[in-house]
Amino acid sequence: MQNLSTNRRQILRSAAILGLMGSVPRIAFAAGAASDKRFVFILQRGAADGLSLLAPVGDPDFARQRGALAEVAGGTLVGGSMFRLHGALTNVAALYDARQARFQHAVATRYRDRSHFDGQNLIEGGGARPYAHVDGWMNRLAAMLPAPEASALAITQAVPLILRGAAPVSSYAPTRLPQASDDLLARVGALYADDAMLHPLWEEAMQTRAMVGDLGGDMGRNGAQLGELAATLMAGADGARIVMLESGGWDTHSGQQGRLNAQLRGIDALIGALHSGLGDAWRDTLVIIATEFGRTVAVNGTGGTDHGTGALTMLLGGNLAGGGSVTGDWPGLGNGALYQGRDLMPTAALETLISDALSHHYDIDLQRLYSRLFPAD
Amino acid sequence: MRQYLAANRFGLGLRPGDGPVGDVTRWFATQWDGFDPSPPALANLPGRSQLANAVLQLRDLQQESRAQRRNRDDGDMANDGAMRANAADAPAAPPRPAAIPEQRAARRVLRDIYAGAAQARVQTALDSDTPFMERWVHFWSNHFAVSVDKIACLPFAGDFEFRAIRPNVRGSFLNLLRAAVFHPAMLLFLDQAQSVGPDSPLLARYASRARQNGRQLGLNENLAREIMELHTLGVRSGYSQADVTAFARALTGHSVAGLARGPARRLSGGTAAGDHIFIDALHQPGEQRIMGRLYAQNGAAQADAILSDLASHPATARHIAHKLAVHFVADDPPPTLVQKLADAFGASGGDLTTLARTLTSAPEAWAATAPKFKTPWDWGISAMRALGIGQNSNMRLNIGLFDQLGQTIWRPGSPAGFADAAANWAGPAALADRVDAAERLCALVPAGVDPNARAAQILADAIDGATSSAIARADSAQQGMALTILSPIFLRR
């Protein structure tokens, strides 16, 4: 990063750094009685394009680098007008205004290649390389918490790696997802494009079929339902306190703008439903939304972007440190500033960002938390 | 391509732990010798008397409610005038519902027996280390198809495949034919169980009473026709209606103990309910002439002699040869392959071992230019095997999957069995259904799976650049596996 020119590089207030510097020695055990903390982690599988979710409109190279994808109307200016939050994220914008949301750009795990599987394995396992752990960091978190706060749930059909491990975990999913996701449909369509028999059959099938996405489908209704479901499962004294949600469809290699609109409408509806469904419990809830890696800065030939590196992480909650701000080092979008000449240069570690937020949330010593959740193997 | 074709055209697809097929000749030989006709999943299924009792339970309830209805109708007519006069005092019509929930429960018993057997079939296919033999069983089971839309077949369909087909797929065609057509499921499905010789002793004794009850007792030629048309000679192969009728007469007497209709039901002697039985009193006496040949045998020996001639008829060899080639190799199979199979059938006297060896060793059988489109059964089983779904899976999902994909197990709806051609299975909605099913099946894939490696193993030497890069670009392990089982390669065999 020494090749970054400082005039392109805006140093934003880093809650992570400030939090560390200002921390008085914390009591190194989880708070005991009457604690009612909740934590939700939402994994955007497929690499969500942070530069669309939170567009760096104040960066002088943004319009040039992003071409057509930079020309997006609407949205909310945040972070001193340097960034514009995507227009579909209205609930998230309202939380930001209430200082209950914070965004950090150019975040990456320790993973530097571009395979979804490996990247997701690492973001879930929490190690330094793929397949380093057979348990996940959320499970290790549950193991550190007192009984009521440790009750963990995955709203998926099978327990994903992130929640697997020694601590007991349950999983719940509405049975029989009716139809395949838009994303899979699109990929299957591409796979059949050159097949003389399958291609026409597929075209016909898609014409007669109402397109339903996972979160994005039905104008965000799917996302809202998932949010309501999560809030219901987290309600009351016996509710789950550590919840993992996942959403697919972020791998926008083509037609990115339309697909992201739907995806973001879905995830915004999810957040809205979760916020209202949790009611007073929102005050003690932390939500982190992250993805395995970012996408290329440049637009590809099919109106989309390819696998990249630096990504966006969103933190939300009723008692958030640094709410109402965009934090972290902005690396800039000049050609020389890009990672390997193509991706947003990572300037923050997701592992640190998560540990810091959880340390504040649960009042657990940061170093202790970090070394348990994200050991360097 | 040869490795993929061996595993899919002639097998049920590879499982995660499976090594490569390797030398295909040895692969087939090992399976032929190592085949287990009664694997563990089939060990604890109910016996035939239990199946028969379940059918009888329902029949008795139906008969009871029919009798009640008849009595009520008679009563209504007789009391018509009186009831009109004393409408206020007339008791409400006796409600029938007493029998309805019981009938529903009896049907549920039959469906549960069916579901247990269908699950055992899926389990056996998923667990099998001899997948070619399983395909071989499935082919013959479908060749001699019974269909569970006939309610009496519902409990017997599994028993048919497991006890009539499976143990007999390595012997002679004649043995298999006899085991299939005389199994209770077939006798019930094609109405043989109630067929009675017009001049049989029983009909002579009961004819007047039977007619009085409004019940027809007599000859049913359904099984005779289908044996000739579907099981042996093939349609338009030279037999006439008179031949069918003569064969039907010869078949009279073959029935199911305890399940024949009318007075024959009591003529079971010492045979346990639900077993095949030959009842002399139902048999049409005298000789029969079929396709120019005279059959003067008495009793069961008559149909045996006819079956033996049908099994060795050149038309049967051609029919079976063509059907095998269509099923395993191509919708429009190479004529040279059909000829080889027909010759092998003829020369070996219908020896199934010879037939299988001829099929798998013929170079034409390995052509990859026009591969078969997998049926829902083939696709669903091979997909579940590829995903490693086995003993610990949700079996309800497994048989429901085939309903959803349009090929309900043992329910072809016709004695011709399930069709084999791509045109029957490759429709737009069918394709979309497979995509939905794939996503659901793959939700069960553990996150630790590397789909690139798995796809390379499952698709073996058939994998191509477009497929592997689509899988490599997938956004999750689950999606990568979904694309693997949905790939144009894997949809075919």
Side-chain angles (χ1 to χ4, degrees):
Chain A
M1 290 206 303
Q2 45 273 62
N3 61 347
L4 294 182
S5 59
T6 39
N7 62 337
R8 287 228 184 97
R9 176 173 152 181
Q10 295 206 17
I11 311 288
L12 299 166
R13 188 173 72 90
S14 166
I17 293 164
L18 290 180
L20 272 175
M21 294 194 309
S23 69
V24 290
R26 281 179 172 149
I27 306 166
F29 58 84
S35 178
D36 208 18
K37 304 288 188 191
R38 286 169 168 83
F39 171 50
V40 179
F41 185 76
I42 303 174
L43 178 54
Q44 296 168 299
R45 292 193 191 272
D49 182 44
L51 296 180
S52 290
L53 274 60
L54 188 67
V57 290
D59 188 293
D61 294 303
F62 177 66
R64 178 180 62 83
Q65 294 279 31
R66 272 267 147 155
L69 287 186
E71 297 157 17
V72 176
T76 314
L77 287 176
V78 297
S81 298
M82 170 72 184
F83 300 98
R84 187 187 58 218
L85 187 66
H86 195 283
L89 295 172
T90 55
N91 288 314
V92 174
L95 289 170
Y96 181 90
D97 288 342
R99 307 181 76 81
Q100 295 186 3
R102 144 164 111 87
F103 312 122
Q104 178 137 351
H105 244 310
V107 180
T109 64
R110 295 160 176 143
Y111 182 68
R112 283 297 175 279
D113 288 318
R114 297 183 180 87
S115 151
H116 290 301
F117 319 120
D118 288 354
Q120 286 172 31
N121 187 278
L122 196 137
I123 198 176
E124 296 185 67
R129 57 196 159 77
Y131 304 97
H133 295 301
V134 293
D135 59 349
W137 63 263
M138 284 183 77
N139 190 286
R140 298 194 287 273
L141 171 67
M144 295 177 78
L145 299 173
E149 285 182 350
S151 101
L153 173 76
I155 305 187
T156 54
Q157 278 186 290
V159 176
L161 175 63
I162 197 169
L163 263 174
R164 265 182 264 153
V169 172
S170 59
S171 89
Y172 175 85
T175 50
R176 286 208 146 222
L177 289 171
Q179 291 190 334
S181 63
D182 284 355
D183 187 43
L184 181 60
L185 298 182
R187 286 165 193 265
V188 168
L191 200 52
Y192 295 167
D194 295 327
D195 191 296
M197 179 176 97
L198 299 175
H199 176 67
L201 293 176
W202 185 253
E203 290 294 296
E204 206 178 313
M206 289 303 96
Q207 274 168 22
T208 52
R209 179 172 203 151
M211 301 282 270
V212 177
D214 66 349
L215 282 189
D218 203 10
M219 299 296 279
R221 240 343 264 165
N222 293 356
Q225 279 169 354
L226 185 57
E228 284 162 21
L229 176 66
T232 308
L233 294 167
M234 293 171 74
D238 299 334
R241 301 298 168 83
I242 296 181
V243 172
M244 192 271 187
L245 298 171
E246 56 184 15
S247 127
W250 299 97
D251 195 18
T252 48
H253 287 281
S254 62
Q256 174 167 306
Q257 246 168 39
R259 288 169 63 189
L260 272 189
N261 274 336
Q263 287 288 112
L264 292 172
R265 218 165 27 225
I267 208 151
D268 191 68
L270 189 163
I271 295 299
L274 194 60
H275 175 232
S276 61
L278 284 172
D280 288 345
W282 177 257
R283 276 201 305 257
D284 289 317
T285 300
L286 171 68
V287 179
I288 298 179
I289 307 174
T291 190
E292 67 261 32
F293 44 70
R295 307 193 70 81
T296 50
V297 171
V299 184
N300 65 18
T302 51
T305 51
D306 300 320
H307 300 181
T309 308
L312 175 76
T313 301
M314 298 193 273
L315 302 95
L316 311 108
N319 180 29
L320 195 68
S325 66
V326 180
T327 54
D329 280 358
W330 176 246
L333 293 176
N335 290 338
L338 303 183
Y339 179 72
Q340 295 184 345
R342 52 177 267 160
D343 304 339
L344 187 64
M345 178 73 73
T347 62
L350 180 64
E351 295 87 348
T352 310
L353 188 63
I354 291 172
S355 301
D356 188 64
L358 290 173
S359 167
H360 177 267
H361 187 60
Y362 288 110
D363 201 13
I364 301 178
D365 176 71
L366 174 61
Q367 284 312 322
R368 182 167 165 263
L369 195 65
Y370 182 88
S371 62
R372 284 290 296 279
L373 266 43
F374 304 106
D377 303 336
Chain B
M1 198 64 179
R2 204 171 163 84
Q3 296 282 307
Y4 177 81
L5 285 181
N8 288 272
R9 178 170 292 179
F10 296 108
L12 297 169
L14 294 167
R15 295 166 300 181
D18 289 339
V21 165
D23 180 83
V24 294
T25 313
R26 197 173 330 119
W27 191 66
F28 287 117
T30 311
Q31 293 192 51
W32 199 263
D33 297 336
F35 175 61
D36 181 1
S38 25
L42 310 183
N44 296 315
L45 297 171
R48 273 183 213 148
S49 61
Q50 210 177 322
L51 309 179
N53 286 335
V55 174
L56 286 172
Q57 185 103 36
L58 177 64
R59 276 199 192 161
D60 289 347
L61 288 167
Q62 286 170 330
Q63 219 153 35
E64 207 176 298
S65 74
R66 260 197 306 272
Q68 274 176 12
R69 219 174 309 142
R70 240 192 332 266
N71 289 343
R72 196 177 60 238
D73 292 347
D74 293 351
D76 286 352
M77 264 183 272
N79 297 329
D80 206 20
M83 281 175 72
R84 227 178 275 148
N86 303 302
D89 301 333
R96 313 184 296 161
I100 300 301
E102 286 170 22
Q103 281 188 32
R104 208 174 292 144
R107 279 175 207 274
R108 199 174 312 121
V109 170
L110 296 177
R111 271 200 305 274
D112 287 349
I113 294 172
Y114 159 79
Q119 284 167 4
R121 183 192 217 229
V122 172
Q123 187 75 64
T124 302
L126 295 182
D127 292 347
S128 178
D129 294 324
T130 56
F132 170 69
M133 297 309 299
E134 294 300 325
R135 283 198 70 89
W136 193 244
V137 167
H138 300 153
F139 169 80
W140 290 111
S141 175
N142 191 56
H143 176 71
F144 296 106
V146 298
S147 187
V148 298
D149 35 14
K150 191 152 196 168
I151 196 147
C153 289
L154 205 49
F156 281 99
D159 192 84
F160 174 76
E161 180 170 307
F162 306 148
R163 300 207 170 100
I165 304 295
R166 278 190 83 88
N168 292 302
V169 291
R170 289 182 294 182
S172 72
F173 177 75
L174 175 61
N175 267 347
L176 181 61
L177 172 69
R178 285 179 41 86
V181 301
F182 292 145
H183 186 278
M186 186 68 79
L187 296 169
L188 291 165
F189 180 49
L190 295 178
D191 309 308
Q192 181 61 38
Q194 64 193 80
S195 182
V196 180
D199 306 309
S200 64
L202 179 115
L203 207 58
R205 223 179 307 147
Y206 284 95
S208 53
R209 216 163 90 195
R211 232 170 267 125
Q212 215 172 22
N213 288 348
R215 192 182 287 128
Q216 288 293 317
L217 270 186
L219 193 67
N220 188 306
E221 58 183 42
N222 201 0
L223 178 64
R225 179 182 306 283
E226 303 306 10
I227 288 175
M228 295 174 109
E229 177 179 328
L230 300 171
H231 301 159
T232 61
L233 305 172
V235 71
R236 292 183 303 277
S237 56
Y239 59 90
S240 67
Q241 175 56 46
D243 294 328
V244 172
T245 308
F247 186 25
R249 288 200 193 100
L251 280 170
T252 51
H254 285 286
S255 188
V256 183
L259 287 178
R261 298 275 187 176
R265 180 172 162 181
R266 290 185 297 276
L267 299 175
S268 297
T271 307
D275 278 345
H276 165 229
I277 186 177
F278 184 82
I279 304 172
D280 267 312
L282 305 185
H283 184 63
Q284 172 73 14
E287 57 187 39
Q288 302 297 341
R289 185 178 292 275
I290 295 172
M291 297 172 80
R293 199 175 282 203
L294 197 66
Y295 296 92
Q297 296 84 350
N298 289 320
Q302 192 173 43
D304 272 354
I306 298 167
L307 283 175
S308 177
D309 284 349
L310 288 175
S312 59
H313 197 284
T316 300
R318 278 194 301 275
H319 180 211
I320 299 295
H322 187 260
K323 207 164 164 181
L324 274 171
V326 167
H327 174 76
F328 280 99
V329 180
D331 291 357
D332 189 12
T336 54
L337 175 65
V338 178
Q339 191 58 51
K340 276 181 193 174
L341 289 166
D343 291 348
F345 190 102
S348 70
D351 176 49
L352 300 182
T353 308
T354 306
L355 216 47
R357 202 179 297 129
T358 306
L359 171 71
T360 54
S361 62
E364 300 96 320
W366 295 86
T369 41
K372 294 281 292 185
F373 189 77
K374 288 181 180 175
T375 64
W377 169 259
D378 289 342
W379 181 77
I381 291 294
S382 58
M384 284 191 273
R385 282 170 67 97
L387 298 174
I389 295 175
Q391 263 129 350
N392 301 321
S393 60
N394 176 350
M395 296 307 288
R396 284 195 74 79
L397 168 84
N398 291 347
I399 69 163
L401 176 71
F402 298 103
D403 301 341
Q404 184 205 350
L405 296 174
Q407 192 178 19
T408 297
I409 294 171
W410 296 316
R411 194 177 177 161
S414 120
F418 288 112
D420 248 341
N424 300 101
W425 301 111
L431 204 52
D433 284 344
R434 289 194 190 186
V435 177
D436 293 341
E439 191 165 77
R440 237 181 358 256
L441 281 174
C442 290
L444 304 168
V445 171
V449 168
D450 173 4
N452 299 304
R454 184 73 71 83
Q457 183 232 341
I458 298 299
L459 302 178
D461 52 354
I463 199 162
D464 57 38
T467 304
S468 56
S469 70
I471 294 163
R473 284 198 310 266
D475 77 354
S476 65
Q478 286 80 5
Q479 192 181 65
M481 286 313 300
L483 290 169
T484 303
I485 62 175
L486 290 169
S487 65
I489 301 162
F490 197 77
L491 290 178
R492 298 182 171 102
R493 60 174 177 87

